[in-house]
Amino acid sequence: MSRETWTAVDRYFSDLLLPNDPILDAALQDNAAAGLPSIDVAPNQGKLLNLLATIQGARTILEIGTLGGYSTIWLARALPEGGRLITLESNPKHAEVARKNIERAGLDHVVEIRLGQALDSLAQLDAEGHGPFDLFFIDADKQSNSEYFQWALNHSRKGSLIITDNVVRNGNVVDESSTDPSVEGVRRFTELVAAEPRVSATALQTVGSKGYDGFAIAVVTEEK
Ligand code: SAH
Ligand code: DHB
Ligand code: MG
């Protein structure tokens, strides 16, 4: 099986199940025009994030890694009236493109973009007393996944969902001798999740238009 087949299958399901969406299409176009890397979640993965947030009844979402706001829009659309999403991004150009995409989606009153290194922004959110959040989407620099997960757990409630993107990395996650900081980061993160008694977790491999990768999903099962 090849990426061509995976892409055709993604297209088959997306054409049928994901209604034509000029706002998300425009976001991807503007990302490309601004030279952003095309590493947003795929459309059917964005819809999965949206469904998970809906199933969970999330009212507060924290996203780490905004890029052009594509996953942000999918997630924010699942929020009920009064819901809020905070998204963290270190690259000012990415944040600027995201701001316009989110505004076009009519979600600027729902979404707050915080510019800066995510670890600094998280410390700031903590100082401001934010949390608990109902859902986290961790999708920034993979070497910091453990720190992001730990922060999420510390700012969760029983039932919060912690979703982490890109945990398979083309299969490289099983390469114990890899010195790629992203792979090391994902392995450290997975071991941390495995050792954490307060969550119940799984991870899934995915193939599709974005290649071969995967998600980890953890549910917080106990109050702090
Ligand atoms: N969630 C997006 C994709 C995010 S790509 C989507 O699916 O649409 C990862 C993003 O994380 C990039 O925009 C990158 O600039 C940002 N990033 C990387 N390291 C970061 C850090 N330390 N703090 C904040 N953002 C970071
Ligand atoms: C990369 C980051 C992502 O968030 C993603 O979905 C795919 C690739 C990357 O840094 O290579
Ligand atoms: Mg990702």
Side-chain angles (χ1 to χ4, degrees):
M1 276 319 130
S2 67
R3 185 154 169 165
E4 257 167 63
T5 308
W6 304 341
T7 302
V9 172
D10 260 6
R11 193 171 304 125
Y12 170 76
F13 286 120
S14 294
D15 283 353
L16 282 171
L17 303 177
L18 277 54
N20 189 28
D21 199 320
I23 287 171
L24 285 170
D25 292 347
L28 291 180
Q29 266 171 26
D30 283 13
N31 290 356
L36 270 50
S38 142
I39 55 174
D40 348 64
V41 292
N44 52 348
Q45 295 172 337
K47 181 71 182 280
L48 174 66
L49 294 174
N50 177 277
L51 292 178
L52 287 169
T54 302
I55 291 163
Q56 208 237 357
R59 301 184 58 85
T60 52
I61 299 178
L62 178 71
E63 176 180 66
I64 308 178
T66 315
L67 190 65
Y70 185 76
S71 55
T72 316
I73 294 171
W74 275 114
L75 283 165
R77 281 177 173 177
L79 287 167
E81 190 66 37
R84 295 280 293 157
L85 184 154
I86 297 176
T87 184
L88 312 182
E89 175 56 54
S90 58
N91 183 314
K93 185 169 103 178
H94 296 184
E96 187 52 28
V97 175
R99 194 184 59 72
K100 291 190 184 132
N101 286 334
I102 288 161
E103 195 179 299
R104 185 199 286 116
L107 292 164
D108 43 323
H109 59 292
V110 173
V111 175
E112 179 189 348
I113 304 173
R114 291 209 174 192
L115 184 61
Q117 290 298 320
L119 289 173
D120 295 338
S121 300
L122 291 173
Q124 184 67 32
L125 288 174
D126 183 63
E128 291 169 19
H130 281 274
F133 292 90
D134 301 322
L135 187 151
F136 300 85
F137 182 47
I138 300 176
D139 191 21
D141 53 318
K142 314 308 172 191
Q143 56 267 44
S144 301
N145 272 3
S146 298
E147 284 85 354
Y148 299 152
F149 177 80
Q150 201 61 62
W151 195 97
L153 191 56
N154 287 337
H155 296 80
S156 66
R157 52 151 176 100
K158 185 174 177 178
S160 291
L161 210 53
I162 306 173
I163 305 167
T164 306
D165 196 21
N166 311 115
V167 299
V168 174
R169 316 285 310 179
N170 213 26
N172 294 328
V173 66
V174 296
D175 181 359
E176 291 170 35
S177 61
S178 174
T179 54
D180 176 341
S182 297
V183 172
E184 291 177 329
V186 170
R187 290 178 63 89
R188 268 200 318 278
F189 156 82
T190 309
E191 285 154 27
L192 179 69
V193 175
E196 174 52 60
R198 289 176 51 216
V199 302
S200 177
T202 189
L204 289 177
Q205 306 181 63
T206 57
V207 295
S209 57
K210 297 283 171 163
Y212 172 34
D213 215 321
F215 287 102
I217 303 181
V219 178
V220 178
T221 51
E222 290 169 41
E223 300 294 345
K224 261 201 274 192

